[in-house]
Amino acid sequence: MPERPAPLPGGIGVSRLRVYDTTAPDGVVGGTPHVHLCCTEGYAVTGGEGAVQTLTAGGYRETPLRPGAVVWFEPGTVHRLVNGGGLTIVVLMQNSGLPEAGDAVLTFPPEVLADPAAYAAAAALPDGGAPGADVTAAYRRRDLAVTGFQALRAGGPAELAAFHAAALALRRPLLARWRERWAAGAGRAAATTGEQLDALERGDPGHLAEARVYAVDEPVERGRLGMCGLLDTYPANA
């Protein structure tokens, strides 16, 4: 049985993203606006051009994306990728595996957010979004989320605070499971660094002799339906 690889630095997750190139109801080409409750997300732009639209308590912002740019934002930032032509990105996600466990809430209208069954139905993708699934379902949920995003932008800080509260209420049942994933991933990675520092302070370099090198030759999936585009994914612990 092959050796289980160590996680990427800090327990992050990595994927390659080709941003959707169809038009939403507001005339903008791109992905689905959503928020993360616990994860900071980063983009390293590798091709094309576009922007990321963000909404925080500090207001709305649009940050250009061009090859070479690195952009990241903290939990609570509503974000939406805009494709200006051939936009491709390496996505770096804090707490590898946590977004896949539900740490993402789409900006559906309030009546959908308030009903867990309605939210699940609106967010669902055929075969869970597996490569080859019908992409029209991803566009349908994007378009509904854009409708909610437009209302958030127009509503000001109070509207955004209400959305954050609704997102928490929707995901509260998952928090214990999220904590387990964090403890086994990013939390464990941070604790290991602390243990290594303790060992070095004692004059014990033993862990240096245990070093290994890992490599993943190619994605395990190509073209999974994501929120903002087609994803090439890597093992959750790679």
Side-chain angles (χ1 to χ4, degrees):
M1 185 174 181
E3 181 182 8
R4 180 182 176 87
L8 282 167
I12 67 168
V14 62
S15 59
R16 297 190 311 200
L17 174 66
R18 289 163 284 158
V19 179
Y20 291 133
D21 59 2
T22 59
T23 305
D26 61 351
V28 175
V29 175
T32 308
H34 61 283
V35 72
H36 299 289
L37 279 66
C38 291
C39 293
T40 291
E41 182 172 354
Y43 301 144
V45 184
T46 57
E49 62 179 4
V52 57
Q53 297 178 339
T54 56
L55 183 64
T56 68
Y60 174 79
R61 178 176 174 180
E62 192 160 317
T63 303
L65 299 177
R66 298 183 181 86
V70 175
V71 177
W72 64 100
F73 41 85
E74 297 175 323
T77 304
V78 178
H79 53 286
R80 175 197 191 187
L81 281 168
V82 174
N83 191 348
L87 184 59
T88 57
I89 293 169
V90 173
V91 180
L92 306 173
M93 182 67 72
Q94 188 183 18
N95 302 320
S96 177
L98 200 57
E100 290 77 13
D103 181 28
V105 176
L106 285 70
T107 56
F108 292 151
E111 63 273 16
V112 179
L113 289 170
D115 183 341
Y119 181 91
L125 296 174
D127 297 322
D134 183 6
V135 72
T136 58
Y139 298 154
R140 189 181 310 116
R141 74 175 186 178
R142 174 200 62 190
D143 293 351
L144 182 61
V146 166
T147 300
F149 182 56
Q150 289 177 293
L152 284 178
R153 285 184 58 184
E159 193 80 14
L160 180 61
F163 169 72
H164 285 162
L168 170 57
L170 185 68
R171 291 305 193 224
R172 186 179 289 276
L174 303 178
L175 294 181
R177 194 182 315 164
W178 289 4
R179 183 173 291 276
E180 291 175 359
R181 283 179 173 254
W182 165 80
R188 182 62 227 161
T192 296
T193 299
E195 292 163 4
Q196 292 168 349
L197 287 169
D198 291 342
L200 294 173
E201 288 179 347
R202 294 193 305 270
D204 176 7
H207 66 276
L208 302 180
E210 300 172 359
R212 301 289 185 272
V213 177
Y214 304 96
V216 177
D217 293 334
E218 60 183 356
V220 295
E221 291 183 313
R222 296 180 185 272
R224 170 169 284 276
L225 301 183
M227 294 183 190
C228 286
L230 299 176
L231 289 166
D232 296 341
T233 64
Y234 293 85
N237 63 331

